[in-house]
Amino acid sequence: MNAMIDPADVRSASVLEVSGLETRFGAVRAVDGVSFAVARGETLCIVGESGSGKSATALSVMGLIPSGSGRVAAGSIRLAGHGELRGLSDAAMAEIRGRAIGMVFQEPMTSLNPVFRVGTQIAEVMRRHEDISRSAARDRAVDLLRMVGIPSPESRAQDYPHQLSGGMRQRVMIAMAIACDPMLILADEPTTALDVTIQAQILALIDALKHRLGSGIVFITHDLRVVAQIAQQVCVMYAGVVVERAPVRALLRDPLHPYTVGLMASVPGTAPRSGLRRLPAIPGTVPNLAALPKGCRFRNRCPRAFALCAEAEPPLAVPANGDPEREVRCWLYVEGAAA
Amino acid sequence: MTAPLLEVEDLDVHFPVFRGPLRRRAGTVRAVDGVSLRVMPGETLALVGESGCGKSTLGRAVLRLQEPSGGQVRFEGQDLLHLGKRDLKAARRRMRMVFQDPHASLNPRLRAAEIIGEAFTIHGCTRAERDAGVAELLTLVGLGPDFAQRFPHEFSGGQRQRLGIARALALHPSFVVCDEPVSALDVSVQAQIVNLLMELQERLGLSYLFISHDLHLVEFIADRVAVMYLGRIVETAPAAALFAGPLHPYTRALLAASPSIDPDRRAADAVIEGELPSPLNPPSGCAFHPRCPHATDQCRAEMPPLAALATGHDVRCWHAADWMAAAPARAEALG
Amino acid sequence: MGTARYITRRLIFAVCLIWGVSVILFAMINAIGNPIEILLAERPGITDEIIESVTKYYGLDGSVTDRYFTWLWAIVRLDFGTSIIYNLPVSEMLVIYGMETLKIQIPGIVIALFVSVMISVLAATRQYSKVDFGVIAGAMVGHSLPGFLLGIILILIFSYWLGILPSYGAYSTRNPVMGSEVIDGLWHMVLPVSMLVFFNTATLTLLLRSSLVDVLRQDFITAARASGLPERRVVFGHALRNAFIPVLTYLGILFGLMLGTAPVTETVFTWPGLGALYIMAIQQLDYPLIMGATMIITVMLVTATLLTDIAYVVIDPRIRLG
């Protein structure tokens, strides 16, 4: 385990820096120029709906885009102490996966191998990356299970995945992800498949582990409420690009991009109750990523679109006269652009 | 006072569990155990609880899509559980279902017109009536008649759920069971479908049994709420009363665990321990006692009754009166 | 319930099954009539007295139940009587011919298993590539080719044209190959085993490839890759074991099929095995041989099923014992 880390030290350096990332599946531009950075001990939430490119971003960082169907076409992925990950060989990437970057998946029911005991699966990750004996790995697997809050970890380590509940399996997945003290944890919708009481337990666990291990966390979700619970920094993605980036309080208190505004409003219980029992919905659907329209990707659903939005895609930039800590991809916040 | 549209009395759905080479009966899962509820015309009753609590089974049993093991279901004055085939078919015109997964619940080989029109054909309408009905329904759910000849895979997730709703609304039902109708959809699309359901309710006077795990959505959409835990209702109340002053410790735990969108109100401290017990081997006494921070010996020994504490506010907890007397622990609404 | 208890139960069930087959077999043979009459009646100089005395000699004059239990007690002691045609103890014949059958069938399955694993991995990890389509097409063709055809083609090429491999029998009658009986035996096995490997591989590959493609799409495979396991370990360690679960059923059937297709293989290559013997016994109405061979085949089938069931428990922990 890492020693105690002074939060002041870790904020400075980024664990992961992604810039200009482009990932394509044939003609589909799933990720179309995404940049973000995560510091040690920081949780960055990537929020978006299906088709926003958030999961493809995570798989690109892991080097797990299936080579038959897609590829990382451009951009840079830099991991602290490892340099540029893009272009690394499969073997070199496999060394990093599971050791420097741990990943937690959405479906705890299907993300563990059904034919191996959970303790064995955790031990296998350690034996892959560290020079450690079989019995030592087994003991540490039990320690990890205890650390992620699994009761009677000695006997649970002997269980097969089907003998555990969804919440317990997700704890096992987390134990696997942190087995080698990774500097970065990628969590792709880790609580979406869980019930609220279990979700609360898992969110609390992830937050506690972040403080204990000092890792950076990239937490992917579609749920703004989960963002409010766990994030420090937030990237909102839409149709393959980041449309807004801000510290969590700023984003949720004062969303700038019309998509973020619409997304927040459509969450029940956020907008002030009016006499008319309707949720403020965003009309329309996500554009086809294989044939993106010219200009802003959101303009056909945007209540505030104007002529310029159809002509050119806005840059992701600090809003005019705004908070320098945030960025937004919208012509409304570019000085002199708005009509 | 009007008569209830649907009255469920002491409903049981028990599943036998078989084990061994001779498939001997090893026990019973009481998926739904002695549930009573009523739905008034034009009302939305929400059924909330975690997965495995029996809410979906209850929804199906009410429509007799799942044969109940005991109890009574009265719909529009008829005893549904003792209806013959023909009468049941007639009753089913008036009570329909919208499913969670619009992808799995629509036959991929049928066109939209056939999916919606099936009900008309089954109930002996002419072809012209059918076509007119299909066009009307497609317009009603915001798709338009142009969609009639398309296959489900040509629809987006939200459009597919609109199609599912149109199918449910064929033949003018009065009552629709909505089983997690928006939980498979994206947030922005969820709002569209929720609005559609509410709009249809106002226009057609529909009653909903709205099954959901999303408390925020329920607070928004429901008139009354019933909270289920391990096959039983533990609390039922008008939505406003329930969210303003939940009395059952489980309801409180659910509300506390349900994340707030306010980053300054993080729920980490409110996390309750443990998980849903096995329904095959439920705890003694109150089913919630192993996870309840306030459990006493009485809770461990005896199952509390569902008792009325205020008008329309029933709670299954030995200590409900104490919670009532203390200032509501959670007065602030969910944010 | 423990694995030992589970296996014990399956064993008891297997014994009951074999006993059931013995009853049905005996009833069917009995229904055909007195074999002595059928065998001797048409021959010249056979009188009723002779038939009667021969019937008595073979113990066929008692009641049905008496005869059944006499037979049952005999076969329990592995005494299947004497072959009418060959005048040899049936048990001895079954052992000799049975060994010859296993000698080509077991390698036929084991080698096929190994080859199909390799081919399936090659194809499934390159789904929809040219390699994959080639494998699917080849396996389809192999799977649907009539059995004797390939046998004849093999004989034509390697025995008739090239003259390097023997086309019939299990041993050379004179001059063993390279002067060694062992090499001679192996040399004779090449063609029949190749044919069996070919067919078993085709069918196993069809099943295993599609099963593997399904498994490789599962979340736990992505998760295994995400924890940095090398691709070899992901495919052979994590995917293959899961992919084998649906294929196991077929392996059990394959062992059964082995006895079903044995007559074809053994006829084409004039192989002195159980299949060829069985056909001969039926053609010549050799009752003790038919009954003995049927019981042995039943026992082999039931054993194969039993082994499959046990393999399931070993390979898939989700199977609830009980």
Side-chain angles (χ1 to χ4, degrees):
Chain A
M1 294 301 119
N2 291 348
M4 284 297 289
I5 288 163
D6 181 4
D9 291 347
V10 297
R11 277 218 53 100
S12 50
S14 295
V15 179
L16 176 75
E17 272 181 49
V18 171
S19 68
L21 181 70
E22 286 181 30
T23 303
R24 296 194 190 143
F25 295 89
V28 173
R29 295 159 162 269
V31 182
D32 201 11
V34 163
S35 308
F36 59 86
V38 199
R40 273 192 171 271
E42 178 182 82
T43 302
L44 169 79
C45 270
I46 299 182
V47 203
E49 299 180 88
S50 45
S52 64
K54 57 191 194 302
S55 291
T57 302
L59 289 178
S60 303
V61 169
M62 292 296 277
L64 286 175
I65 295 290
S67 58
S69 52
R71 68 194 179 94
V72 177
S76 136
I77 302 162
R78 300 185 66 82
L79 187 68
H82 295 265
E84 179 62 49
L85 300 189
R86 220 188 127 216
L88 280 188
S89 69
D90 283 351
M93 209 47 225
E95 291 287 337
I96 288 170
R97 292 197 287 261
R99 172 187 274 169
I101 313 177
M103 186 157 180
V104 184
F105 291 85
Q106 174 171 355
E107 282 296 337
M109 306 314 265
T110 55
S111 298
L112 289 165
N113 193 329
V115 303
F116 296 120
R117 298 178 197 278
V118 296
T120 314
Q121 295 191 46
I122 299 170
E124 186 180 19
V125 181
M126 288 183 282
R127 286 183 43 82
R128 157 76 174 103
H129 293 295
E130 291 167 28
D131 189 18
I132 178 173
S133 76
R134 194 175 290 267
S135 65
R138 198 163 297 164
D139 292 346
R140 266 190 45 201
V142 171
D143 291 343
L144 280 163
L145 288 176
R146 184 176 297 116
M147 189 164 141
V148 297
I150 288 184
S152 43
E154 288 87 359
S155 60
R156 285 291 86 82
Q158 297 298 314
D159 279 351
Y160 289 97
H162 72 275
Q163 292 167 295
L164 302 176
S165 69
M168 286 298 156
R169 284 189 222 189
Q170 199 59 302
R171 288 176 193 267
V172 172
M173 283 303 297
I174 292 170
M176 270 173 84
I178 62 168
C180 300
D181 291 336
M183 62 176 84
L184 178 70
I185 297 171
L186 279 180
D188 188 0
E189 304 250 13
T191 61
T192 304
L194 305 174
D195 280 312
V196 277
T197 56
I198 309 301
Q199 167 170 284
Q201 293 171 2
I202 297 292
L203 290 178
L205 172 67
I206 291 177
D207 208 47
L209 288 173
K210 182 189 72 180
H211 287 114
R212 186 158 171 184
L213 305 175
S215 324
I217 296 180
V218 175
F219 192 108
I220 293 168
T221 181
H222 69 280
D223 189 342
L224 284 170
R225 295 177 183 282
V226 170
V227 172
Q229 295 299 305
I230 197 150
Q232 271 97 51
Q233 297 289 322
V234 188
C235 282
V236 181
M237 282 188 73
Y238 183 79
V241 293
V242 174
V243 293
E244 183 162 6
R245 173 171 44 219
V248 64
R249 278 185 185 75
L251 185 98
L252 293 176
R253 294 269 155 77
D254 178 26
L256 296 181
H257 197 283
Y259 174 65
T260 319
V261 174
L263 203 58
M264 277 197 66
S266 61
V267 174
T270 48
R273 264 182 183 257
S274 61
L276 191 67
R277 298 198 312 161
R278 292 289 181 276
L279 288 170
I282 304 175
T285 48
V286 184
N288 179 358
L289 294 175
L292 284 168
K294 204 178 151 218
C296 173
R297 290 151 208 252
F298 187 61
R299 79 180 142 83
N300 57 349
R301 303 176 74 185
C302 182
R304 301 180 67 187
F306 57 102
L308 183 57
C309 305
E311 281 165 32
E313 176 154 41
L316 183 65
V318 174
N321 312 321
D323 184 350
E325 271 191 56
R326 54 196 299 185
E327 287 176 312
V328 60
R329 189 187 289 278
C330 180
W331 287 122
L332 290 171
Y333 301 96
V334 175
E335 203 156 1
Chain B
M1 185 158 166
T2 47
L5 183 72
L6 176 86
E7 261 186 296
V8 174
E9 214 59 68
D10 222 6
L11 194 74
D12 293 330
V13 183
H14 295 174
F15 297 109
V17 175
F18 297 103
R19 277 207 183 132
L22 301 175
R23 311 271 90 198
R24 264 182 307 226
R25 192 168 167 152
T28 307
V29 169
R30 296 165 184 268
V32 175
D33 200 12
V35 166
S36 301
L37 48 86
R38 43 177 58 187
V39 180
M40 307 302 284
E43 183 188 52
T44 299
L45 172 68
L47 210 50
V48 302
E50 293 176 282
S51 45
C53 73
K55 56 189 194 300
S56 287
T57 311
L58 176 58
R60 285 165 177 272
V62 161
L63 298 184
R64 258 185 92 180
L65 297 174
Q66 166 71 51
E67 209 58 49
S69 338
Q72 261 202 353
V73 179
R74 296 185 71 77
F75 175 68
E76 294 186 333
Q78 283 177 302
D79 181 353
L80 210 61
L81 301 190
H82 295 99
L83 284 185
K85 255 196 176 145
R86 183 183 299 254
D87 292 331
L88 182 64
K89 190 174 146 186
R92 286 225 172 108
R93 294 176 65 145
R94 307 275 298 149
M95 49 199 310
R96 304 299 297 273
M97 184 145 182
V98 175
F99 297 89
Q100 169 173 7
D101 187 349
H103 195 69
S105 57
L106 298 172
N107 185 336
R109 308 215 189 293
L110 295 184
R111 292 172 195 279
E114 294 166 296
I115 289 169
I116 302 173
E118 215 170 13
F120 292 96
T121 317
I122 290 170
H123 291 281
C125 298
T126 65
R127 172 129 205 171
E129 281 174 325
R130 198 193 87 163
D131 290 348
V134 167
E136 190 194 321
L137 283 162
L138 282 171
T139 311
L140 189 67
V141 298
L143 287 172
D146 313 348
F147 284 79
Q149 294 309 312
R150 296 197 196 170
F151 289 100
H153 70 87
E154 296 174 79
F155 289 68
S156 72
Q159 288 173 332
R160 246 182 252 141
Q161 196 56 296
R162 286 175 193 267
L163 186 57
I165 293 169
R167 173 175 64 180
L169 294 183
L171 304 168
H172 308 291
S174 55
F175 173 64
V176 180
V177 174
C178 303
D179 188 0
E180 304 261 13
V182 299
S183 58
L185 304 174
D186 271 322
V187 188
S188 72
V189 182
Q190 268 186 20
Q192 295 174 10
I193 299 297
V194 166
N195 287 347
L196 175 67
L197 286 170
M198 297 183 90
E199 189 189 312
L200 290 169
Q201 179 170 49
E202 286 155 23
R203 279 171 66 176
L204 307 173
L206 295 170
S207 301
Y208 291 137
L209 181 64
F210 195 92
I211 299 168
S212 179
H213 67 278
D214 185 341
L215 290 166
H216 301 279
L217 180 59
V218 162
E219 180 178 21
F220 182 74
I221 203 170
D223 299 305
R224 283 190 307 122
V225 182
V227 183
M228 278 185 84
Y229 191 77
L230 224 59
R232 290 173 183 272
I233 290 180
V234 295
E235 182 161 9
T236 173
L242 187 98
F243 286 95
L247 293 180
H248 196 285
Y250 177 61
T251 314
R252 292 185 186 200
L254 267 187
L255 289 177
S258 204
S260 160
I261 200 154
D262 182 350
D264 288 326
R265 220 191 292 154
R266 296 199 168 175
D269 322 326
V271 173
I272 58 163
E273 300 286 314
E275 301 187 356
L276 204 66
S278 159
L280 188 60
N281 186 18
S284 63
C286 171
F288 187 61
H289 86 251
R291 299 173 77 185
C292 183
H294 313 289
T296 59
D297 287 343
Q298 188 182 22
C299 304
R300 284 181 271 272
E302 273 179 278
M303 161 78 78
L306 189 63
L309 287 203
T311 322
H313 197 155
D314 301 349
V315 186
R316 189 186 290 280
C317 176
W318 288 119
H319 307 294
D322 304 344
W323 315 136
M324 186 84 166
R330 193 187 158 282
E332 74 275 23
L334 290 166
Chain C
M1 187 157 81
T3 315
R5 240 184 102 192
Y6 171 78
I7 293 173
T8 316
R9 279 195 191 202
R10 302 301 303 190
L11 264 174
I12 294 169
F13 180 70
V15 170
C16 293
L17 200 67
I18 292 168
W19 173 74
V21 169
S22 81
V23 172
I24 294 168
L25 173 68
F26 193 84
M28 283 168 69
I29 294 286
N30 195 57
I32 296 174
N34 184 349
I36 307 302
E37 251 177 66
I38 298 168
L39 285 169
L40 299 182
E42 300 297 310
R43 306 207 175 173
I46 298 293
T47 61
D48 285 356
E49 288 79 47
I50 295 175
I51 289 180
E52 210 171 294
S53 74
V54 175
T55 304
K56 208 165 192 152
Y57 173 77
Y58 279 106
L60 293 171
D61 56 341
S63 76
V64 179
T65 41
D66 280 353
R67 278 185 286 134
Y68 171 70
F69 283 110
T70 311
W71 175 68
L72 188 66
W73 176 232
I75 61 168
V76 167
R77 288 171 296 142
L78 299 178
D79 172 9
F80 296 94
T82 308
S83 160
I84 295 176
I85 308 294
Y86 298 88
N87 202 21
L88 285 166
V90 169
S91 47
E92 233 168 77
M93 293 181 71
L94 290 177
V95 170
I96 293 166
Y97 284 82
M99 289 309 281
E100 290 299 334
T101 293
L102 293 180
K103 206 168 98 185
I104 53 170
Q105 294 285 355
I106 300 261
I109 289 175
V110 172
I111 297 174
L113 209 52
F114 190 73
V115 174
S116 61
V117 163
M118 291 303 154
I119 297 179
S120 301
V121 166
L122 205 66
T125 50
R126 293 164 182 76
Q127 203 195 347
Y128 304 139
S129 67
K130 280 184 188 140
V131 175
D132 189 29
F133 283 123
V135 166
I136 297 173
M140 292 282 259
V141 170
H143 178 67
S144 38
L145 213 62
F148 63 90
L149 194 65
L150 179 74
I152 290 169
I153 293 172
L154 286 175
I155 290 172
L156 201 64
I157 297 174
F158 292 99
S159 305
Y160 188 75
W161 287 341
L162 299 177
I164 49 174
L165 288 167
S167 66
Y168 64 90
Y171 304 97
S172 301
T173 37
R174 287 169 293 173
N175 309 329
V177 177
M178 294 171 156
S180 151
E181 302 233 332
V182 176
I183 294 178
D184 184 61
L186 289 173
W187 206 241
H188 279 80
M189 281 165 63
V190 173
L191 281 188
V193 169
S194 307
M195 175 176 144
L196 289 170
V197 166
F198 183 83
F199 283 107
N200 293 341
T201 303
T203 312
L204 277 174
T205 303
L206 275 185
L207 291 166
L208 195 55
R209 178 216 159 257
S210 71
S211 174
L212 199 54
V213 162
D214 280 347
V215 172
L216 285 172
R217 262 191 231 129
Q218 304 271 320
D219 292 341
F220 66 81
I221 293 300
T222 315
R225 289 192 179 121
S227 47
L229 300 187
E231 195 58 20
R232 178 183 293 265
R233 171 74 192 143
V234 171
V235 173
F236 286 92
H238 283 248
L240 208 53
R241 185 155 168 186
N242 282 280
F244 253 110
I245 293 168
V247 177
L248 261 188
T249 315
Y250 181 74
L251 264 184
I253 297 172
L254 198 64
F255 274 101
L257 224 59
M258 154 181 125
L259 300 156
T261 54
V264 178
T265 323
E266 291 172 6
T267 305
V268 170
F269 293 99
T270 344
W271 192 265
L274 209 53
L277 183 70
Y278 199 38
I279 299 275
M280 215 128 58
I282 289 169
Q283 280 168 349
Q284 311 205 12
L285 282 181
D286 191 336
Y287 285 82
L289 200 51
I290 294 175
M291 292 172 82
T294 309
M295 287 316 294
I296 285 299
I297 289 170
T298 306
V299 169
M300 287 166 98
L301 269 178
V302 171
T303 311
T305 318
L306 188 69
L307 290 177
T308 313
D309 285 349
I310 294 170
Y312 262 122
V313 178
V314 173
I315 207 169
D316 188 353
R318 285 165 296 183
I319 291 182
R320 280 237 299 268
L321 298 179

